[in-house]
Amino acid sequence: MTARIENGKINELLGITESYKAPEKMMLSMLDENLKEHLFSEFLKIESDLSYEWFQGYFEAEHADRKEKKQDFTPDSVSKLGTSIIGHSDKYFEAAAGTGGMAINFWNENKNTFFELEELSDRAIPFLLFNMAIRNIEGTLLHGDSLSGEIKAKYHLEKSETFSGISESQVIQKTGKTNVLMNPPFSASWNQKKDERFEDYGLAPKTKADFAFLLHGFSKLSNDGTMAIVLPHGVLFRGAAEGEIRQKLLEEGAINSIIGLPANIFYGTSIPTVMIVLKKNRSSKDVYFIDASKEFEKQKAQNSMKNEHIEKILSAYKNREELEKFAHLASFEEIKGNDFNLNIPRFVDTFEEEEPIDLYEVANDLLELDREIAQSENKLLEMLAELTGPEELMPGLEATKEYFRGGKKGQMSLFD
């Protein structure tokens, strides 16, 4: 992978001096065919590698809103893992698509898939359109609130010989196997809405929309597709409404696998996350647990999952075998016996016993330490014996000598 385009260069290519003007300028270019082609050509002169998301650092620094909108950029490693897990499909769906990092990772392996993306952020939409069109992707983009259904704009992208053509207010439906990959904002608030997506499961809490996003994605999943969604660990064990939703999903066998990811691998938050894999019409209700929390390489800013870590997780996921301290296939009865609590440590024991303490070795170490201290004190006494000074300081010096000889006077303050 080549170096990401510098932020200042992006502003220069867009013809702006202040980064806050970028979304408006980019959107104007996306909706004008001539401006769009010119802009794409200028960018491609600087960077021709389309395999990664160019604007992640730029958008993160200038436009992301972690506090209010909980916008966390998905690491490439998590996107690659999710892409490999869901596999090829006729259609790819993603809500809260951001600027398109996960979609691009999927596109790298699935150039002819139809993309159906949704995103709420006004500032992210132009970057997302750019990323889809410059890669000549066919699909639709809904600008709006995925959970409430309030839509601000609709865009259709049609393939051409070079770049996708963009048309507004037109959405083309496509049928076929649909896979879902999502990394929605963690534990965001939402305006609860009763509809067919939630009627069989219940509504997620107002202050935690995690299961609302999960059920929204699940409603888009085809019967033969696979869904992977990244969420905070709380969805595995929190009770009340979330506990009821979780139980119903488990009772119908929808939850296929739980993969615990390492902490501090995201750019905007250090919290550990979990990838939940779902399928419809499964013949079994078992759940495969993988504790991949230790599968990372520590780096300065955040931890990173390397290819070897991803391969280890994928190998376990595909084989669904028992792996000590790493993976466990839990039966529905076992899950039910845990009150439908899916907290990973309940199913994967990663406890490492400490080596037994050798008391004989400890005693020898203490004796050796005592000998070293005695030797040091004797050397110090030899040095003190050679010291002289003013008469008023001699009582303190004598008390110091007595202390190291083990005398009673040495137990008193040197200044008594």
mmCIF file of all heavy atoms in Angstrom, residues 91 93 116 118 146-147 178 180 182 195-198 201 211-223 227 249 278 280:
data_model
loop_
_atom_site.group_PDB
_atom_site.id
_atom_site.type_symbol
_atom_site.label_atom_id
_atom_site.label_comp_id
_atom_site.label_asym_id
_atom_site.label_seq_id
_atom_site.Cartn_x
_atom_site.Cartn_y
_atom_site.Cartn_z
ATOM 1 N N LYS A 91 -25.223 -8.992 -3.952
ATOM 2 C CA LYS A 91 -25.456 -7.643 -3.425
ATOM 3 C C LYS A 91 -24.796 -7.510 -2.054
ATOM 4 O O LYS A 91 -24.796 -8.449 -1.254
ATOM 5 C CB LYS A 91 -26.950 -7.348 -3.338
ATOM 6 C CG LYS A 91 -27.270 -5.907 -2.914
ATOM 7 C CD LYS A 91 -28.730 -5.530 -3.187
ATOM 8 C CE LYS A 91 -29.667 -6.181 -2.208
ATOM 9 N NZ LYS A 91 -31.048 -5.651 -2.336
ATOM 10 N N PHE A 93 -24.753 -5.051 1.385
ATOM 11 C CA PHE A 93 -25.475 -3.989 2.092
ATOM 12 C C PHE A 93 -24.667 -3.527 3.291
ATOM 13 O O PHE A 93 -24.100 -4.327 4.029
ATOM 14 C CB PHE A 93 -26.846 -4.462 2.582
ATOM 15 C CG PHE A 93 -27.546 -3.426 3.426
ATOM 16 C CD1 PHE A 93 -28.218 -2.369 2.814
ATOM 17 C CD2 PHE A 93 -27.498 -3.485 4.812
ATOM 18 C CE1 PHE A 93 -28.829 -1.387 3.591
ATOM 19 C CE2 PHE A 93 -28.098 -2.507 5.588
ATOM 20 C CZ PHE A 93 -28.779 -1.460 4.970
ATOM 21 N N GLU A 116 -25.359 -1.576 -1.955
ATOM 22 C CA GLU A 116 -26.450 -0.780 -1.384
ATOM 23 C C GLU A 116 -25.939 -0.204 -0.063
ATOM 24 O O GLU A 116 -25.770 -0.922 0.926
ATOM 25 C CB GLU A 116 -27.690 -1.639 -1.143
ATOM 26 C CG GLU A 116 -28.883 -0.838 -0.644
ATOM 27 C CD GLU A 116 -30.111 -1.709 -0.398
ATOM 28 O OE1 GLU A 116 -30.235 -2.776 -1.039
ATOM 29 O OE2 GLU A 116 -30.951 -1.313 0.441
ATOM 30 N N GLU A 118 -25.897 3.031 2.982
ATOM 31 C CA GLU A 118 -26.675 4.070 3.670
ATOM 32 C C GLU A 118 -25.741 4.854 4.589
ATOM 33 O O GLU A 118 -24.855 4.281 5.215
ATOM 34 C CB GLU A 118 -27.800 3.445 4.500
ATOM 35 C CG GLU A 118 -28.823 2.674 3.682
ATOM 36 C CD GLU A 118 -29.871 1.981 4.521
ATOM 37 O OE1 GLU A 118 -29.764 2.022 5.778
ATOM 38 O OE2 GLU A 118 -30.801 1.403 3.936
ATOM 39 N N SER A 146 -30.926 5.489 8.809
ATOM 40 C CA SER A 146 -31.270 4.096 8.542
ATOM 41 C C SER A 146 -32.339 3.571 9.491
ATOM 42 O O SER A 146 -33.152 2.726 9.112
ATOM 43 C CB SER A 146 -30.026 3.212 8.653
ATOM 44 O OG SER A 146 -29.062 3.559 7.693
ATOM 45 N N LEU A 147 -32.349 4.048 10.735
ATOM 46 C CA LEU A 147 -33.261 3.499 11.736
ATOM 47 C C LEU A 147 -34.650 4.123 11.670
ATOM 48 O O LEU A 147 -35.656 3.438 11.805
ATOM 49 C CB LEU A 147 -32.663 3.673 13.134
ATOM 50 C CG LEU A 147 -31.298 2.990 13.354
ATOM 51 C CD1 LEU A 147 -30.833 3.157 14.787
ATOM 52 C CD2 LEU A 147 -31.369 1.515 12.985
ATOM 53 N N THR A 178 -27.698 -11.635 -0.803
ATOM 54 C CA THR A 178 -27.280 -10.375 -0.188
ATOM 55 C C THR A 178 -26.521 -10.640 1.094
ATOM 56 O O THR A 178 -27.029 -11.276 2.017
ATOM 57 C CB THR A 178 -28.492 -9.483 0.125
ATOM 58 O OG1 THR A 178 -29.237 -9.255 -1.073
ATOM 59 C CG2 THR A 178 -28.045 -8.153 0.717
ATOM 60 N N VAL A 180 -24.227 -8.818 4.315
ATOM 61 C CA VAL A 180 -24.256 -7.566 5.072
ATOM 62 C C VAL A 180 -22.978 -7.451 5.895
ATOM 63 O O VAL A 180 -22.560 -8.405 6.554
ATOM 64 C CB VAL A 180 -25.477 -7.522 6.015
ATOM 65 C CG1 VAL A 180 -25.470 -6.240 6.849
ATOM 66 C CG2 VAL A 180 -26.770 -7.639 5.214
ATOM 67 N N MET A 182 -21.280 -4.464 8.569
ATOM 68 C CA MET A 182 -21.590 -3.180 9.214
ATOM 69 C C MET A 182 -20.691 -2.911 10.414
ATOM 70 O O MET A 182 -20.337 -3.822 11.154
ATOM 71 C CB MET A 182 -23.061 -3.152 9.662
ATOM 72 C CG MET A 182 -24.073 -3.114 8.541
ATOM 73 S SD MET A 182 -25.797 -3.330 9.117
ATOM 74 C CE MET A 182 -25.939 -2.005 10.319
ATOM 75 N N ASP A 195 -41.649 -1.118 13.574
ATOM 76 C CA ASP A 195 -41.965 -1.565 12.224
ATOM 77 C C ASP A 195 -41.581 -3.031 12.075
ATOM 78 O O ASP A 195 -41.181 -3.682 13.044
ATOM 79 C CB ASP A 195 -41.310 -0.685 11.153
ATOM 80 C CG ASP A 195 -39.796 -0.650 11.257
ATOM 81 O OD1 ASP A 195 -39.191 -1.692 11.566
ATOM 82 O OD2 ASP A 195 -39.193 0.413 11.027
ATOM 83 N N GLU A 196 -41.680 -3.550 10.858
ATOM 84 C CA GLU A 196 -41.497 -4.989 10.632
ATOM 85 C C GLU A 196 -40.084 -5.476 10.965
ATOM 86 O O GLU A 196 -39.886 -6.660 11.236
ATOM 87 C CB GLU A 196 -41.843 -5.353 9.177
ATOM 88 C CG GLU A 196 -40.962 -4.726 8.114
ATOM 89 C CD GLU A 196 -41.406 -3.320 7.729
ATOM 90 O OE1 GLU A 196 -42.356 -2.801 8.366
ATOM 91 O OE2 GLU A 196 -40.797 -2.747 6.796
ATOM 92 N N ARG A 197 -39.111 -4.586 10.955
ATOM 93 C CA ARG A 197 -37.747 -5.000 11.283
ATOM 94 C C ARG A 197 -37.626 -5.462 12.728
ATOM 95 O O ARG A 197 -36.806 -6.332 13.054
ATOM 96 C CB ARG A 197 -36.755 -3.853 11.052
ATOM 97 C CG ARG A 197 -36.630 -3.385 9.630
ATOM 98 C CD ARG A 197 -35.800 -2.102 9.567
ATOM 99 N NE ARG A 197 -36.451 -0.990 10.271
ATOM 100 C CZ ARG A 197 -35.930 0.219 10.440
ATOM 101 N NH1 ARG A 197 -34.708 0.478 9.961
ATOM 102 N NH2 ARG A 197 -36.580 1.169 11.075
ATOM 103 N N PHE A 198 -38.422 -4.859 13.602
ATOM 104 C CA PHE A 198 -38.269 -5.080 15.040
ATOM 105 C C PHE A 198 -39.429 -5.846 15.681
ATOM 106 O O PHE A 198 -39.327 -6.242 16.842
ATOM 107 C CB PHE A 198 -38.113 -3.729 15.751
ATOM 108 C CG PHE A 198 -37.138 -2.796 15.090
ATOM 109 C CD1 PHE A 198 -37.538 -1.537 14.654
ATOM 110 C CD2 PHE A 198 -35.816 -3.170 14.896
ATOM 111 C CE1 PHE A 198 -36.638 -0.667 14.047
ATOM 112 C CE2 PHE A 198 -34.907 -2.314 14.284
ATOM 113 C CZ PHE A 198 -35.313 -1.063 13.860
ATOM 114 N N TYR A 201 -38.800 -9.054 17.545
ATOM 115 C CA TYR A 201 -37.705 -9.076 18.512
ATOM 116 C C TYR A 201 -37.853 -8.045 19.623
ATOM 117 O O TYR A 201 -37.348 -8.246 20.728
ATOM 118 C CB TYR A 201 -36.373 -8.831 17.786
ATOM 119 C CG TYR A 201 -36.138 -9.790 16.651
ATOM 120 C CD1 TYR A 201 -36.470 -9.442 15.334
ATOM 121 C CD2 TYR A 201 -35.588 -11.048 16.876
ATOM 122 C CE1 TYR A 201 -36.259 -10.322 14.281
ATOM 123 C CE2 TYR A 201 -35.380 -11.931 15.824
ATOM 124 C CZ TYR A 201 -35.719 -11.566 14.536
ATOM 125 O OH TYR A 201 -35.520 -12.452 13.494
ATOM 126 N N PHE A 211 -28.616 -2.965 18.914
ATOM 127 C CA PHE A 211 -29.459 -4.028 18.381
ATOM 128 C C PHE A 211 -30.419 -3.511 17.303
ATOM 129 O O PHE A 211 -30.870 -4.277 16.455
ATOM 130 C CB PHE A 211 -30.226 -4.727 19.501
ATOM 131 C CG PHE A 211 -29.487 -5.897 20.089
ATOM 132 C CD1 PHE A 211 -29.007 -5.850 21.383
ATOM 133 C CD2 PHE A 211 -29.257 -7.040 19.329
ATOM 134 C CE1 PHE A 211 -28.311 -6.927 21.925
ATOM 135 C CE2 PHE A 211 -28.567 -8.123 19.859
ATOM 136 C CZ PHE A 211 -28.089 -8.068 21.165
ATOM 137 N N ALA A 212 -30.728 -2.229 17.338
ATOM 138 C CA ALA A 212 -31.558 -1.664 16.270
ATOM 139 C C ALA A 212 -30.797 -1.728 14.944
ATOM 140 O O ALA A 212 -31.347 -2.115 13.900
ATOM 141 C CB ALA A 212 -31.942 -0.223 16.604
ATOM 142 N N PHE A 213 -29.520 -1.373 14.964
ATOM 143 C CA PHE A 213 -28.699 -1.480 13.755
ATOM 144 C C PHE A 213 -28.550 -2.938 13.325
ATOM 145 O O PHE A 213 -28.619 -3.258 12.136
ATOM 146 C CB PHE A 213 -27.319 -0.856 13.989
ATOM 147 C CG PHE A 213 -27.283 0.638 13.812
ATOM 148 C CD1 PHE A 213 -27.112 1.485 14.901
ATOM 149 C CD2 PHE A 213 -27.418 1.201 12.550
ATOM 150 C CE1 PHE A 213 -27.073 2.865 14.730
ATOM 151 C CE2 PHE A 213 -27.385 2.578 12.368
ATOM 152 C CZ PHE A 213 -27.206 3.411 13.460
ATOM 153 N N LEU A 214 -28.343 -3.814 14.303
ATOM 154 C CA LEU A 214 -28.193 -5.231 13.971
ATOM 155 C C LEU A 214 -29.449 -5.753 13.278
ATOM 156 O O LEU A 214 -29.368 -6.425 12.235
ATOM 157 C CB LEU A 214 -27.907 -6.036 15.240
ATOM 158 C CG LEU A 214 -27.635 -7.535 15.065
ATOM 159 C CD1 LEU A 214 -26.666 -8.044 16.136
ATOM 160 C CD2 LEU A 214 -28.926 -8.358 15.130
ATOM 161 N N LEU A 215 -30.615 -5.443 13.827
ATOM 162 C CA LEU A 215 -31.863 -5.938 13.242
ATOM 163 C C LEU A 215 -32.154 -5.270 11.900
ATOM 164 O O LEU A 215 -32.746 -5.887 11.010
ATOM 165 C CB LEU A 215 -33.016 -5.709 14.221
ATOM 166 C CG LEU A 215 -32.954 -6.558 15.498
ATOM 167 C CD1 LEU A 215 -34.042 -6.119 16.481
ATOM 168 C CD2 LEU A 215 -33.092 -8.042 15.180
ATOM 169 N N HIS A 216 -31.737 -4.028 11.736
ATOM 170 C CA HIS A 216 -31.899 -3.359 10.444
ATOM 171 C C HIS A 216 -31.084 -4.086 9.379
ATOM 172 O O HIS A 216 -31.588 -4.392 8.287
ATOM 173 C CB HIS A 216 -31.456 -1.904 10.548
ATOM 174 C CG HIS A 216 -31.472 -1.157 9.242
ATOM 175 N ND1 HIS A 216 -32.617 -0.979 8.506
ATOM 176 C CD2 HIS A 216 -30.459 -0.564 8.534
ATOM 177 C CE1 HIS A 216 -32.333 -0.300 7.402
ATOM 178 N NE2 HIS A 216 -31.031 -0.037 7.394
ATOM 179 N N GLY A 217 -29.824 -4.386 9.698
ATOM 180 C CA GLY A 217 -28.997 -5.131 8.754
ATOM 181 C C GLY A 217 -29.535 -6.531 8.512
ATOM 182 O O GLY A 217 -29.520 -7.019 7.374
ATOM 183 N N PHE A 218 -30.018 -7.160 9.567
ATOM 184 C CA PHE A 218 -30.554 -8.525 9.466
ATOM 185 C C PHE A 218 -31.766 -8.570 8.547
ATOM 186 O O PHE A 218 -31.991 -9.551 7.831
ATOM 187 C CB PHE A 218 -30.918 -9.034 10.864
ATOM 188 C CG PHE A 218 -31.155 -10.513 10.941
ATOM 189 C CD1 PHE A 218 -30.149 -11.419 10.624
ATOM 190 C CD2 PHE A 218 -32.388 -11.005 11.351
ATOM 191 C CE1 PHE A 218 -30.371 -12.791 10.710
ATOM 192 C CE2 PHE A 218 -32.612 -12.373 11.439
ATOM 193 C CZ PHE A 218 -31.603 -13.272 11.120
ATOM 194 N N SER A 219 -32.542 -7.482 8.535
ATOM 195 C CA SER A 219 -33.724 -7.437 7.659
ATOM 196 C C SER A 219 -33.319 -7.369 6.187
ATOM 197 O O SER A 219 -34.109 -7.720 5.306
ATOM 198 C CB SER A 219 -34.599 -6.224 8.019
ATOM 199 O OG SER A 219 -33.976 -5.007 7.629
ATOM 200 N N LYS A 220 -32.106 -6.898 5.901
ATOM 201 C CA LYS A 220 -31.622 -6.814 4.518
ATOM 202 C C LYS A 220 -30.941 -8.105 4.063
ATOM 203 O O LYS A 220 -30.727 -8.303 2.861
ATOM 204 C CB LYS A 220 -30.611 -5.663 4.402
ATOM 205 C CG LYS A 220 -31.163 -4.291 4.759
ATOM 206 C CD LYS A 220 -32.115 -3.778 3.704
ATOM 207 C CE LYS A 220 -32.536 -2.336 3.990
ATOM 208 N NZ LYS A 220 -33.394 -1.782 2.913
ATOM 209 N N LEU A 221 -30.596 -8.964 4.997
ATOM 210 C CA LEU A 221 -29.867 -10.196 4.702
ATOM 211 C C LEU A 221 -30.761 -11.194 3.984
ATOM 212 O O LEU A 221 -31.895 -11.429 4.398
ATOM 213 C CB LEU A 221 -29.353 -10.795 6.018
ATOM 214 C CG LEU A 221 -28.519 -12.064 5.942
ATOM 215 C CD1 LEU A 221 -27.182 -11.808 5.259
ATOM 216 C CD2 LEU A 221 -28.302 -12.623 7.360
ATOM 217 N N SER A 222 -30.263 -11.771 2.907
ATOM 218 C CA SER A 222 -31.044 -12.795 2.198
ATOM 219 C C SER A 222 -30.949 -14.121 2.944
ATOM 220 O O SER A 222 -30.076 -14.317 3.798
ATOM 221 C CB SER A 222 -30.536 -12.957 0.763
ATOM 222 O OG SER A 222 -29.208 -13.459 0.757
ATOM 223 N N ASN A 223 -31.844 -15.042 2.626
ATOM 224 C CA ASN A 223 -31.887 -16.329 3.319
ATOM 225 C C ASN A 223 -30.614 -17.143 3.140
ATOM 226 O O ASN A 223 -30.296 -18.001 3.965
ATOM 227 C CB ASN A 223 -33.095 -17.142 2.845
ATOM 228 C CG ASN A 223 -34.407 -16.555 3.344
ATOM 229 O OD1 ASN A 223 -34.441 -15.875 4.367
ATOM 230 N ND2 ASN A 223 -35.483 -16.796 2.618
ATOM 231 N N MET A 227 -24.100 -12.278 7.433
ATOM 232 C CA MET A 227 -23.977 -10.922 7.969
ATOM 233 C C MET A 227 -22.900 -10.907 9.045
ATOM 234 O O MET A 227 -22.817 -11.799 9.884
ATOM 235 C CB MET A 227 -25.308 -10.459 8.570
ATOM 236 C CG MET A 227 -25.228 -9.131 9.311
ATOM 237 S SD MET A 227 -26.855 -8.613 9.937
ATOM 238 C CE MET A 227 -26.397 -7.168 10.894
ATOM 239 N N LEU A 249 -33.082 -14.059 19.041
ATOM 240 C CA LEU A 249 -32.159 -14.364 17.941
ATOM 241 C C LEU A 249 -31.520 -15.734 18.138
ATOM 242 O O LEU A 249 -31.368 -16.513 17.192
ATOM 243 C CB LEU A 249 -31.081 -13.292 17.847
ATOM 244 C CG LEU A 249 -31.504 -11.927 17.301
ATOM 245 C CD1 LEU A 249 -30.433 -10.874 17.571
ATOM 246 C CD2 LEU A 249 -31.799 -12.002 15.803
ATOM 247 N N LEU A 278 -24.151 -13.536 11.655
ATOM 248 C CA LEU A 278 -25.531 -14.024 11.652
ATOM 249 C C LEU A 278 -25.884 -14.674 10.320
ATOM 250 O O LEU A 278 -25.370 -14.282 9.270
ATOM 251 C CB LEU A 278 -26.515 -12.886 11.937
ATOM 252 C CG LEU A 278 -26.331 -12.138 13.267
ATOM 253 C CD1 LEU A 278 -25.633 -10.812 13.038
ATOM 254 C CD2 LEU A 278 -27.657 -11.932 13.987
ATOM 255 N N LYS A 280 -29.526 -16.755 8.349
ATOM 256 C CA LYS A 280 -30.941 -17.118 8.438
ATOM 257 C C LYS A 280 -31.132 -18.591 8.082
ATOM 258 O O LYS A 280 -30.329 -19.179 7.365
ATOM 259 C CB LYS A 280 -31.776 -16.234 7.503
ATOM 260 C CG LYS A 280 -31.816 -14.765 7.914
ATOM 261 C CD LYS A 280 -32.698 -13.935 6.994
ATOM 262 C CE LYS A 280 -32.803 -12.493 7.495
ATOM 263 N NZ LYS A 280 -33.631 -11.639 6.603
#
